[in-house]
Amino acid sequence: NGKMVEEAVLESSGYSEQGSTLSPLDFSFMGLRELPTSSKELAKFTDRAAERFILPWSLENEELGPDWEFSVADSVRVSNNHLETIEGLPAALGSFLFMGNVRVLQYLDLSFNSIRRLDKGVLEALPNLSTLYLHTNLIEDFSNIKKLARLKLLEKLSLQNNPVQTSALRSLAGSSAGVQEYRVRAIATCPWLKELDFSTVTGAEREGALSYWVEAQRVSEERKRGGPSPLPSPIRTMLGREAGYRRGGRRSPTKMS
């Protein structure tokens, strides 16, 4: 069946769960405002695109003849363009991937674009992503970051130099507190992350994120019952937890890494 064929193709091409030896599809530095949906459309941007983009494969793209072939890849770079949205991303990438299967993608670089919001439908179509780079875009609403909770295999995420991060740094008097506030909220959204903004997620941050998440759930329940409770501050939650540990004579988990 189709799944068996797909697995056989990936295995013969160097794919494994431990890591990929496949070359990425590379759309970077093409001046794109939207993704092309065919090899012919891609060729309009640069004659060199085919040389670095299409990987040799045994299935020819009949639309363009034997010089264009489908790619077997699990990584895509779309960095340094002018994209404002990721809507339609799976369909566009499927035009170039073997069997149109975007679910095999594990690495996606969308950095240095003008993306303002994330589309939950797109994220749901990419359930196997383990690395997602979104740094240096225009994402400002944290509700977009919450959508990333759909990516249960995500290990590496970059969001730095987006308004959602830079505004958090300015929201508190000290920049270090702002960094903590932003990182705790992001990690609470995706507690399975191993790396955020190219910095390892520490044990202390996981503990802080867990405390924040528990407190946020409590506040949410109180609001449903008509209570006036404000949303918790990640930093106040962490400091309160540390104070409790000190009163109890226990070691604070925020001292661990």
Side-chain angles (χ1 to χ4, degrees):
N1 59 30
K3 183 173 179 59
M4 294 177 63
V5 172
E6 175 188 331
E7 292 174 349
V9 169
L10 293 176
E11 181 178 357
S12 65
S13 303
Y15 172 89
S16 72
E17 293 183 359
Q18 287 70 40
S20 173
T21 59
L22 303 175
S23 298
L25 301 183
D26 193 353
F27 285 102
S28 57
F29 294 98
M30 285 189 179
L32 301 175
R33 294 190 179 278
E34 59 184 30
L35 285 176
T37 56
S38 69
S39 300
K40 183 182 292 185
E41 189 176 337
L42 177 65
K44 295 178 183 177
F45 294 97
T46 171
D47 292 337
R48 297 180 57 199
E51 298 176 11
R52 68 186 176 100
F53 182 82
I54 302 297
L55 299 176
W57 181 237
S58 60
L59 290 181
E60 297 175 0
N61 186 329
E62 295 181 0
E63 176 187 358
L64 295 170
D67 293 333
W68 292 87
E69 299 175 331
F70 289 112
S71 172
V72 179
D74 62 357
S75 305
V76 177
R77 294 180 183 140
V78 201
S79 61
N80 293 275
N81 285 290
H82 307 294
L83 299 182
E84 296 181 359
T85 179
I86 62 172
E87 290 183 21
L89 182 70
L93 295 179
S95 301
F96 300 95
L97 293 169
F98 176 63
M99 297 179 69
N101 189 359
V102 296
R103 294 176 64 87
V104 300
L105 294 180
Q106 298 184 26
Y107 174 105
L108 179 59
D109 185 356
L110 292 166
S111 61
F112 294 95
N113 278 284
S114 301
I115 298 168
R116 294 181 180 275
R117 67 181 186 85
L118 302 179
D119 185 278
K120 64 180 181 180
V122 170
L123 299 174
E124 289 170 351
L126 305 170
N128 292 308
L129 279 185
S130 61
T131 299
L132 177 59
Y133 292 151
L134 289 165
H135 52 280
T136 316
N137 274 283
L138 299 175
I139 302 170
E140 57 182 327
D141 192 335
F142 204 86
S143 63
N144 284 287
I145 310 306
K146 292 180 179 179
K147 297 174 185 177
L148 297 175
R150 293 168 169 79
L151 301 176
K152 303 300 184 183
L153 300 181
L154 192 63
E155 296 182 348
K156 297 182 179 180
L157 172 66
S158 69
L159 295 167
Q160 61 191 29
N161 297 326
N162 276 278
V164 70
Q165 185 238 14
T166 55
S167 61
L169 304 190
R170 295 192 298 267
S171 65
L172 298 176
S175 62
S176 61
V179 170
Q180 273 190 306
E181 170 108 15
Y182 150 75
R183 286 183 64 87
V184 165
R185 290 188 70 187
I187 296 166
T189 300
C190 299
W192 43 84
L193 283 177
K194 294 182 179 179
E195 181 181 290
L196 176 61
D197 293 336
F198 308 102
S199 178
T200 300
V201 174
T202 67
E205 288 175 325
R206 292 191 191 284
E207 290 285 347
L210 175 61
S211 298
Y212 171 69
W213 184 86
V214 170
E215 182 66 8
Q217 296 302 304
R218 182 189 65 77
V219 169
S220 176
E221 289 300 318
E222 287 187 3
R223 282 187 166 183
K224 289 178 182 178
R225 293 193 294 267
S229 298
L231 284 174
S233 159
I235 300 307
R236 286 196 295 271
T237 301
M238 291 178 69
L239 293 178
R241 185 181 176 90
E242 286 187 341
Y245 273 92
R246 286 196 296 271
R247 287 194 299 269
R250 294 176 293 167
R251 184 183 179 189
S252 167
T254 59
K255 303 300 182 184
M256 294 184 271
S257 61

